[in-house]
Amino acid sequence: MEFKEKGNEFFRSNQFEQAINFYTFGLNSHPDQNLREVLYLNRALSQIKILEYDKSLSDCEAVLQFNHSSIKAHYFRGLALSGKKQYKNALESLKTSLRLSEKEKATWIQELKGKIDEVELLLFQENENQEKNYLEKTKNNLFQYLDELIRLRNQNSKNVLDIQDKMSELQIFFEKIQPKRPEIPSYFCCPISLDIMNDPVVGNSGVSYEKNAIFNYIDSGGNQDPITRIPINKDQFHPNICLRQAIEEFLEKNPWAKKRNETIIEQND
Amino acid sequence: MKSSQRLAKEYSKIQKSDNEFNISIDSNNILNWKAILKGPDETPFKNGNFEISIKCTDQYPMKPPKVFFNTPIFHPNIHFKTGEVCLDVLKANWSPAWDIFAICRAISLLLSHPEPDSPLNCDAGNMLRAKDEMAYFSMGEMYTQMFAIKENSDKK
């Protein structure tokens, strides 16, 4: 018990190596299973803080061996894997943690979702970069090869201009197949908040708004539809389910377009 | 929803456009904006550059911002001394779907379409109501020359 408290004290003052030492002392003193789980978990988070992801992972595994539904073990495992840039596996762990948290109606669900968004974005960027690098490499190789061919041919050829045309055509082709992020369609954005909508609602005017935005407007005395100026009240607004599904589908393919969740989870028992 | 978030969105959209009103933000306060309106052709304000300031509150866009002319202008709906602007969409007809760019466009339109029946500048209003275009133009052009053109050449 004492070791844990000491470790937590060091953790709170950001002295993670010291904290790890005390958690290890605690684990060596043969604690009961509950305390053992807490010590492992606290040590796992401390290891993440000092970027010792592999050590953190083995602590998480140790917990999962006797408590496979430990929300925190899955969560820290996700953090460590994300630290090791293994985003796909990290997502799996984080989503397991989310599923378990939802079952227990835990308070940190929003933060957990924010972390998942963050890792999804990292995974997306990694894929995007891989694709770009692959194209860049292929392009360079191809042009190098063509240059070589042209040099050999030029010595006895009159078609230099023709070749230049073909080369610039190829350049344009490579520009065109570069992966590009699409614009966020304006019909996915609320005319009031200008942000992509989470919970679109539609009233008698047929225009869709973010629920919070239009309700705030009505609360602050607005009684006309912002676009059509027909009279409005809260009762006439209903969820626009089709639009929400379309937005969700777009966000799944374009995680970069999600609103950033600013809070980051950080806790210790 | 925070007004600063929405204003940041508007600003990034403006930066992607050609920014015809030269809209800028006060670097210390995202709620305070400035814009330069060009005097439209066929008005007494032709060739003039008029600076306006747009002050939002933290209730923006639920409530309209306050708009003032920093450059004095002789116009029936703009107060000559305070720069206050009388425009329905900045008061009762405000809608949160309006943005700073739309305000600039509306005021630019007001310059070429004055409303002499709700004047903040009675002299200018009376001239138009009396259909004395010549007086309105010569007064307007004089003040444009004094404030909206001179100011600019000084800076250069």
Side-chain angles (χ1 to χ4, degrees), chain A residues 203-219:
Chain A
N204 292 353
S205 69
V207 184
S208 292
Y209 300 94
E210 179 75 54
K211 187 175 174 187
N212 278 340
I214 190 72
F215 278 24
N216 271 346
Y217 180 56
I218 294 171
D219 285 339

Side-chain angles (χ1 to χ4, degrees), chain B residues 27-47:
Chain B
S27 50
N28 296 319
N29 188 351
I30 195 174
L31 297 177
N32 291 343
W33 293 48
K34 276 192 176 135
I36 311 273
L37 305 185
K38 293 216 175 328
D41 287 352
E42 290 166 45
T43 69
F45 320 111
K46 192 180 168 185
N47 295 331

Side-chain angles (χ1 to χ4, degrees), chain A residues 139 143 164-178 180:
Chain A
K139 180 179 143 185
F143 275 93
Q164 275 174 353
D165 276 356
K166 287 270 181 296
M167 292 287 270
S168 49
E169 247 172 58
L170 256 185
Q171 284 280 9
I172 292 166
F173 171 75
F174 272 101
E175 287 295 309
K176 277 194 174 161
I177 57 176
Q178 278 289 326
K180 275 198 194 90

Side-chain angles (χ1 to χ4, degrees), chain B residues 89-143:
Chain B
V89 295
L90 291 176
K91 304 213 161 86
N93 273 340
W94 169 256
S95 148
W98 276 64
D99 57 13
I100 305 276
F101 180 80
I103 290 172
C104 291
R105 202 150 54 180
I107 294 178
S108 190
L109 224 77
L110 182 69
L111 292 185
S112 40
H113 298 86
E115 288 284 343
D117 290 329
S118 55
L120 279 172
N121 181 335
C122 295
D123 293 336
N126 287 339
M127 286 173 186
L128 280 181
R129 267 184 293 192
K131 307 231 181 304
D132 191 349
E133 292 254 331
M134 208 166 82
Y136 175 70
F137 261 77
S138 58
M139 285 292 277
E141 277 167 5
M142 183 189 81
Y143 283 117

Side-chain angles (χ1 to χ4, degrees), chain B:
Chain B
M1 189 187 53
K2 290 192 191 103
S3 50
S4 58
Q5 272 171 10
R6 146 104 185 207
L7 287 165
K9 287 249 162 209
E10 283 189 38
Y11 191 62
S12 66
K13 202 170 118 195
I14 286 167
Q15 280 178 316
K16 277 182 211 154
S17 73
D18 57 356
N19 196 358
E20 62 168 296
F21 298 116
N22 228 317
I23 296 170
S24 60
I25 305 187
D26 183 335
S27 50
N28 296 319
N29 188 351
I30 195 174
L31 297 177
N32 291 343
W33 293 48
K34 276 192 176 135
I36 311 273
L37 305 185
K38 293 216 175 328
D41 287 352
E42 290 166 45
T43 69
F45 320 111
K46 192 180 168 185
N47 295 331
N49 287 312
F50 298 87
E51 189 187 86
I52 59 171
S53 57
I54 301 155
K55 289 186 170 26
C56 306
T57 63
D58 52 11
Q59 291 199 51
Y60 180 83
M62 300 310 168
K63 298 279 183 238
K66 289 196 162 58
V67 180
F68 292 94
F69 270 74
N70 297 339
T71 313
I73 182 169
F74 186 78
H75 184 287
N77 310 109
I78 300 159
H79 196 286
F80 189 73
K81 284 209 175 103
T82 63
E84 196 188 328
V85 182
C86 177
L87 187 60
D88 57 345
V89 295
L90 291 176
K91 304 213 161 86
N93 273 340
W94 169 256
S95 148
W98 276 64
D99 57 13
I100 305 276
F101 180 80
I103 290 172
C104 291
R105 202 150 54 180
I107 294 178
S108 190
L109 224 77
L110 182 69
L111 292 185
S112 40
H113 298 86
E115 288 284 343
D117 290 329
S118 55
L120 279 172
N121 181 335
C122 295
D123 293 336
N126 287 339
M127 286 173 186
L128 280 181
R129 267 184 293 192
K131 307 231 181 304
D132 191 349
E133 292 254 331
M134 208 166 82
Y136 175 70
F137 261 77
S138 58
M139 285 292 277
E141 277 167 5
M142 183 189 81
Y143 283 117
T144 302
Q145 194 69 38
M146 261 171 84
F147 298 110
I149 298 178
K150 185 177 135 263
E151 250 185 35
N152 247 39
S153 54
D154 272 358
K155 275 180 197 163
K156 271 174 196 167

Side-chain angles (χ1 to χ4, degrees), chain A residues 12-199:
Chain A
R12 276 191 292 273
S13 56
N14 293 337
Q15 290 171 274
F16 303 115
E17 281 93 347
Q18 290 284 18
I20 290 167
N21 282 339
F22 279 96
Y23 296 140
T24 309
F25 292 149
L27 284 165
N28 289 342
S29 66
H30 305 290
D32 64 48
Q33 182 167 319
N34 282 341
L35 183 55
R36 196 151 58 116
E37 178 172 342
V38 172
L39 285 166
Y40 269 128
L41 287 172
N42 288 2
R43 194 168 73 174
L45 183 57
S46 309
Q47 301 282 20
I48 291 172
K49 293 282 180 191
I50 56 168
L51 313 182
E52 290 281 4
Y53 300 122
D54 286 321
K55 288 184 185 165
S56 177
L57 280 177
S58 58
D59 280 349
C60 294
E61 297 302 341
V63 173
L64 291 173
Q65 262 179 15
F66 58 82
N67 177 6
H68 197 73
S69 54
S70 161
I71 293 174
K72 281 194 176 178
H74 285 290
Y75 177 62
F76 294 154
R77 193 165 175 268
L79 291 187
L81 285 168
S82 159
K84 283 167 64 89
K85 299 198 186 342
Q86 297 180 9
Y87 301 125
K88 244 188 199 154
N89 295 332
L91 271 180
E92 224 167 87
S93 292
L94 291 175
K95 282 181 178 164
T96 308
S97 179
L98 178 64
R99 213 167 35 243
L100 295 166
S101 302
E102 275 167 346
K103 244 186 239 166
E104 294 192 9
K105 297 197 171 24
T107 49
W108 56 77
I109 285 178
Q110 277 315 314
E111 286 152 88
L112 193 49
K113 279 183 178 163
K115 191 74 207 174
I116 289 174
D117 283 351
E118 207 176 289
V119 178
E120 269 175 350
L121 181 60
L122 288 168
L123 180 64
F124 177 86
Q125 284 170 339
E126 191 187 58
N127 289 338
E128 197 178 48
N129 285 335
Q130 271 171 6
E131 204 173 328
K132 274 187 185 155
N133 290 341
Y134 166 74
L135 277 175
E136 192 63 29
K137 216 172 110 190
T138 316
K139 180 179 143 185
N140 289 340
N141 285 344
L142 183 63
F143 275 93
Q144 225 170 13
Y145 175 67
L146 287 175
D147 274 342
E148 194 65 28
L149 274 186
I150 292 165
R151 227 198 337 272
L152 291 173
R153 240 189 86 164
N154 267 359
Q155 290 159 359
N156 50 8
S157 161
K158 317 145 215 148
N159 297 336
V160 183
L161 271 178
D162 196 39
I163 289 168
Q164 275 174 353
D165 276 356
K166 287 270 181 296
M167 292 287 270
S168 49
E169 247 172 58
L170 256 185
Q171 284 280 9
I172 292 166
F173 171 75
F174 272 101
E175 287 295 309
K176 277 194 174 161
I177 57 176
Q178 278 289 326
K180 275 198 194 90
R181 295 180 179 184
E183 288 271 313
I184 300 176
S186 61
Y187 45 82
F188 286 169
C189 297
C190 167
I192 299 176
S193 72
L194 306 181
D195 247 330
I196 193 154
M197 288 182 272
N198 280 328
D199 190 3

